[in-house]
Amino acid sequence: MSQEALFRSLSALQFNVAQLLKQATGASRSYEIDIPFPELDEHLVLLAPLRGHVHFLRIGVGVLASGTFSTAVELTCMRCLSEFRLPIEFELEEEFTPTIDIVTGIKLPLPPDQDTATLIDEHHILDLSEVVRQDLWLSLPTSPICRPDCKGLCPRCGQNRNLAECNCHAEEIDIRWIALLRNGYNPEE
């Protein structure tokens, strides 16, 4: 993706909230999101556009952003190591804090533990890019599998057992015999 295309896709997640910040608590705005293949993270491959909607609500200290999004990502199955497509939906709810007072233009004091991803910049731009990236990662399964009946890899030869059976013969050992087998007992003698 070219640098210009990357900027366009990420700027689609940036919103000027100056007018919303001037309004009273309870004022709101809503936007539809449809971004073709944004590059949110170099380690995360999106296979479908990022779609959804976001709702901004003026609250006492800033803006509450909430919304739902959907896309499809490329993951690697933990059983068979094949890449597969996983459709994913996730929700976002985050409070954004302005860094500049909208009326006076004076820099506002920020709490020491304030996350920089949830700051509204000095131009009153609310950037959802980092929050969307984080929420997308959090919505991914910790142990992705390509399908529920994935057979995985053969532990001896490495053959993907979803594609073909291997010629390895797995010895099934009754777990109750483990202690005796460790001491050299051979049940076939």
Side-chain angles (χ1 to χ4, degrees), residues 27 43 57 71 96 110 112 114 127 131 151 155 166 169 189:
H43 302 291
L57 177 67
T71 188
F96 286 81
L110 299 172
Q114 178 72 43
D127 189 355
V131 174
K151 296 177 184 176
C166 61
H169 297 288
E189 288 182 349

Side-chain angles (χ1 to χ4, degrees), residues 61-80:
V61 294
V63 175
L64 177 68
S66 58
T68 57
F69 298 89
S70 65
T71 188
V73 295
E74 180 180 81
L75 296 176
T76 302
C77 178
M78 67 169 279
R79 290 184 188 166
C80 68

